[in-house]
Amino acid sequence: MNDTSHYDKCRTLMNIHKARHQKRTIFFSVLTLMNLYLAIALPVKYHLSLIYGNFLSGITFGLFVFIYGAGLLALLLFSIPEKPKLLILTILLIISGIMLNFIHLIVGIPMLVICLSQIPDCRQAVWIQKQDGYPYFNERFDEQMQYFGKEYQPDHALDNLHDAEMLDIPEESTPDFTVSPKTEMPEIPDISEFEVQNHDNF
């Protein structure tokens, strides 16, 4: 029997990582909206004239900022602690966005802090992945695997039941439910004839 003493600790850490990741995603979403506001509300055209000349307008730049921020938010959403490479990519894109003025410095620094705060969780997640019982850490699941060697699978698929056709029942096994013909009841003698016969006997 495998040692399961670490199961509770691993499950607790995984739940903590999930809750922290949700909070980071919420904060990152707020910062993304703030960055979009700063990119549109501030005199972006003056900044663009210094960097890009007159090639881009403020509206076009705001559209780029929106797309860039939406991409970062989607990437952070999938950058769970079990996938540290996506987190590193997010950090690099944030730094590139700050350098290209797609991310305002006031917003970019908190974004970096949010991403860097996930590094300890990533280290713990790497340790958790190496433990026996990952990713379920469930004793009943281990017993299932020990007895059957695989996860439970139903004998019959339950999908597309509305398209399934009923199997034909062979005629030989069909019980005979036909009603047998009624037998005729004997005629009941007339009561008056029965009384006359008895009277003659006496």
Side-chain angles (χ1 to χ4, degrees):
M1 187 66 180
N2 296 332
D3 182 19
T4 61
S5 58
H6 61 286
Y7 278 17
D8 291 337
K9 178 181 179 180
C10 292
R11 284 196 300 262
T12 302
L13 287 176
M14 291 178 68
N15 291 331
I16 292 174
H17 294 170
K18 183 178 180 181
R20 288 177 179 173
H21 183 68
Q22 291 176 349
K23 291 180 180 179
R24 293 188 186 98
T25 304
I26 293 174
F27 292 151
F28 203 92
S29 302
V30 174
L31 291 174
T32 302
L33 294 176
M34 289 178 59
N35 184 63
L36 181 62
Y37 173 77
L38 292 174
I40 296 177
L42 293 180
V44 182
K45 293 183 179 181
Y46 296 102
H47 293 284
L48 291 174
S49 62
L50 296 176
I51 302 173
Y52 301 103
N54 296 323
F55 180 72
L56 294 175
S57 64
I59 297 177
T60 306
F61 182 78
L63 180 61
F64 281 142
V65 170
F66 174 77
I67 296 174
Y68 200 86
L72 280 177
L73 181 60
L75 187 60
L76 181 73
L77 182 63
F78 292 101
S79 300
I80 57 178
E82 290 79 5
K83 298 179 179 180
K85 293 182 179 180
L86 292 180
L87 180 64
I88 295 175
L89 180 60
T90 305
I91 294 175
L92 293 177
L93 288 177
I94 292 174
I95 296 175
S96 301
I98 294 174
M99 296 176 62
L100 295 173
N101 285 343
F102 285 165
I103 300 177
H104 200 281
L105 186 61
I106 298 176
V107 178
I109 293 177
M111 285 183 173
L112 287 175
V113 173
I114 289 176
C115 293
L116 293 176
S117 66
Q118 188 170 324
I119 293 179
D121 292 350
C122 292
R123 293 178 178 176
Q124 290 180 347
V126 172
W127 175 81
I128 292 174
Q129 289 176 337
K130 297 178 181 179
Q131 304 307 309
D132 294 333
Y134 178 83
Y136 302 105
F137 297 110
N138 188 296
E139 292 81 357
R140 294 183 63 183
F141 179 80
D142 291 344
E143 293 178 359
Q144 178 75 24
M145 294 294 292
Q146 183 178 359
Y147 291 138
F148 300 100
K150 60 180 180 179
E151 298 183 21
Y152 172 76
Q153 296 179 354
D155 295 334
H156 304 284
L158 300 179
D159 54 346
N160 298 327
L161 290 180
H162 59 279
D163 297 332
E165 297 181 358
M166 294 184 64
L167 298 177
D168 295 334
I169 301 176
E171 297 181 358
E172 296 179 357
S173 62
T174 305
D176 188 8
F177 293 106
T178 57
V179 180
S180 58
K182 296 182 179 180
T183 57
E184 296 182 358
M185 295 290 294
E187 295 182 359
I188 301 176
D190 190 2
I191 298 177
S192 59
E193 294 179 359
F194 180 74
E195 291 179 350
V196 172
Q197 292 178 358
N198 292 336
H199 181 70
D200 293 339
N201 293 333
F202 291 105

